[in-house]
Amino acid sequence: MTEPVKVTIKVNDNGSLRITGPVELVDAEGNPFEHKDSFSLCRCGASGNKPFCDGTHKTIGFESAPRAKKD
Protein backbone atom coordinates (compact mmCIF):
# COMPACT_ATOMS: atom_id res chain seq x y z
CA MET A 1 0.00 0.00 0.00
CA THR A 2 1.37 3.43 -0.91
CA GLU A 3 1.72 6.24 1.57
CA PRO A 4 -0.41 9.32 0.83
CA VAL A 5 1.57 12.26 -0.50
CA LYS A 6 2.05 14.94 2.13
CA VAL A 7 1.27 18.58 1.39
CA THR A 8 2.98 21.14 3.63
CA ILE A 9 1.85 24.74 4.21
CA LYS A 10 4.51 26.82 5.96
CA VAL A 11 3.67 30.22 7.45
CA ASN A 12 6.80 32.26 6.73
CA ASP A 13 7.68 34.96 9.26
CA ASN A 14 6.69 38.38 7.88
CA GLY A 15 5.90 36.81 4.51
CA SER A 16 3.96 34.35 2.47
CA LEU A 17 2.34 30.97 2.91
CA ARG A 18 4.64 28.44 1.19
CA ILE A 19 2.77 25.43 -0.19
CA THR A 20 4.81 22.36 -1.12
CA GLY A 21 3.27 19.25 -2.62
CA PRO A 22 0.60 18.31 -5.12
CA VAL A 23 -2.44 20.45 -4.42
CA GLU A 24 -5.10 22.03 -6.62
CA LEU A 25 -5.66 25.77 -6.15
CA VAL A 26 -8.99 27.03 -7.50
CA ASP A 27 -10.81 30.37 -7.56
CA ALA A 28 -14.31 30.99 -6.16
CA GLU A 29 -15.87 29.51 -9.31
CA GLY A 30 -13.75 26.36 -9.19
CA ASN A 31 -11.40 27.39 -12.00
CA PRO A 32 -7.86 26.13 -11.38
CA PHE A 33 -4.86 28.46 -11.13
CA GLU A 34 -1.76 27.29 -12.96
CA HIS A 35 1.11 26.63 -10.55
CA LYS A 36 3.96 24.25 -9.78
CA ASP A 37 4.20 21.72 -6.93
CA SER A 38 5.68 24.52 -4.76
CA PHE A 39 4.34 28.06 -4.67
CA SER A 40 3.75 30.95 -2.27
CA LEU A 41 0.46 32.64 -1.46
CA CYS A 42 0.20 36.29 -0.40
CA ARG A 43 -0.61 37.05 3.26
CA CYS A 44 -0.01 40.81 3.25
CA GLY A 45 -2.77 41.62 0.75
CA ALA A 46 -0.55 43.88 -1.36
CA SER A 47 0.74 41.47 -4.03
CA GLY A 48 0.26 42.53 -7.62
CA ASN A 49 -0.05 38.86 -8.55
CA LYS A 50 -2.75 37.66 -6.13
CA PRO A 51 -3.32 35.08 -4.86
CA PHE A 52 0.42 34.46 -5.33
CA CYS A 53 3.16 36.28 -3.43
CA ASP A 54 5.33 38.68 -5.42
CA GLY A 55 7.56 39.81 -2.54
CA THR A 56 5.73 43.10 -1.90
CA HIS A 57 5.56 42.26 1.83
CA LYS A 58 9.28 43.10 2.02
CA THR A 59 8.74 46.68 0.81
CA ILE A 60 5.63 47.54 2.85
CA GLY A 61 6.89 46.38 6.23
CA PHE A 62 4.41 43.52 6.67
CA GLU A 63 4.90 41.87 10.06
CA SER A 64 3.34 38.62 11.23
CA ALA A 65 5.06 35.67 12.85
CA PRO A 66 2.40 33.36 14.33
CA ARG A 67 3.43 30.19 16.11
CA ALA A 68 1.57 26.93 16.51
CA LYS A 69 0.51 26.22 20.07
CA LYS A 70 2.42 23.42 21.72
CA ASP A 71 0.51 21.01 23.93
Side-chain angles (χ1 to χ4, degrees):
M1 184 175 226
T2 3
E3 294 275 329
V5 177
K6 183 177 178 180
V7 174
T8 302
I9 302 173
K10 180 181 178 190
V11 181
N12 288 317
D13 287 353
N14 308 317
S16 65
L17 295 172
R18 184 70 180 167
I19 291 78
T20 305
V23 64
E24 184 177 29
L25 179 65
V26 298
D27 66 15
E29 296 176 351
N31 302 307
F33 287 96
E34 287 189 33
H35 62 81
K36 299 179 181 178
D37 278 348
S38 291
F39 57 94
S40 295
L41 294 176
C42 176
R43 277 199 311 141
C44 74
S47 173
N49 189 29
K50 292 179 189 139
F52 302 101
C53 176
D54 67 0
T56 300
H57 59 272
K58 297 173 189 172
T59 62
I60 65 168
F62 177 71
E63 292 184 13
S64 178
R67 295 293 183 259
K69 292 182 181 181
K70 296 179 181 180
D71 291 333

